[in-house]
Amino acid sequence: MGKKSRVKTQKSGTGATASVSPKETLNLTSELLQRCSSPAPGPGKEWEEYVQIRSLVEKIRKKQKGRRIIFVGSTKITNDR
């Protein structure tokens, strides 16, 4: 049987110089989820909602810049018979 893969996140040599805590990213992601799952805003407020959501997405992207995901292990499934 094949091994399940694990995902590791590492800070690459280039990109953000300051260390970003996972808690900050989690908080921003949680806020984004709450905004996206809340009821639609009233008439005329859609643009304001869009700007706020876009701002959160950009903050998350900046925090994730310079990070990469490395897959460890094999994802190949073998059929031993």
Side-chain angles (χ1 to χ4, degrees):
M1 294 188 123
K3 295 181 180 179
K4 292 184 180 179
S5 68
R6 297 183 195 162
V7 177
K8 288 186 180 181
T9 305
Q10 289 184 345
K11 187 174 178 183
S12 69
T14 61
T17 56
S19 177
V20 178
S21 75
K23 190 172 184 175
E24 288 178 86
T25 306
L26 182 63
N27 288 338
L28 286 171
T29 306
S30 176
E31 186 178 346
L32 178 63
L33 179 62
Q34 288 176 349
R35 284 213 181 269
C36 292
S37 59
S38 65
K45 298 198 180 214
E46 292 92 356
W47 182 254
E48 183 181 325
E49 184 77 7
Y50 167 78
V51 171
Q52 291 173 353
I53 290 171
R54 177 72 182 188
S55 173
L56 284 170
V57 170
E58 287 302 316
K59 285 178 186 177
I60 293 169
R61 288 181 70 190
K62 285 180 183 177
K63 293 202 178 290
Q64 290 179 338
K65 187 175 183 178
R67 299 184 74 82
R68 60 185 173 155
I69 296 175
I70 299 174
F71 292 95
V72 179
S74 174
T75 58
K76 183 179 178 184
I77 298 173
T78 59
N79 194 4
D80 297 331
R81 287 189 182 213

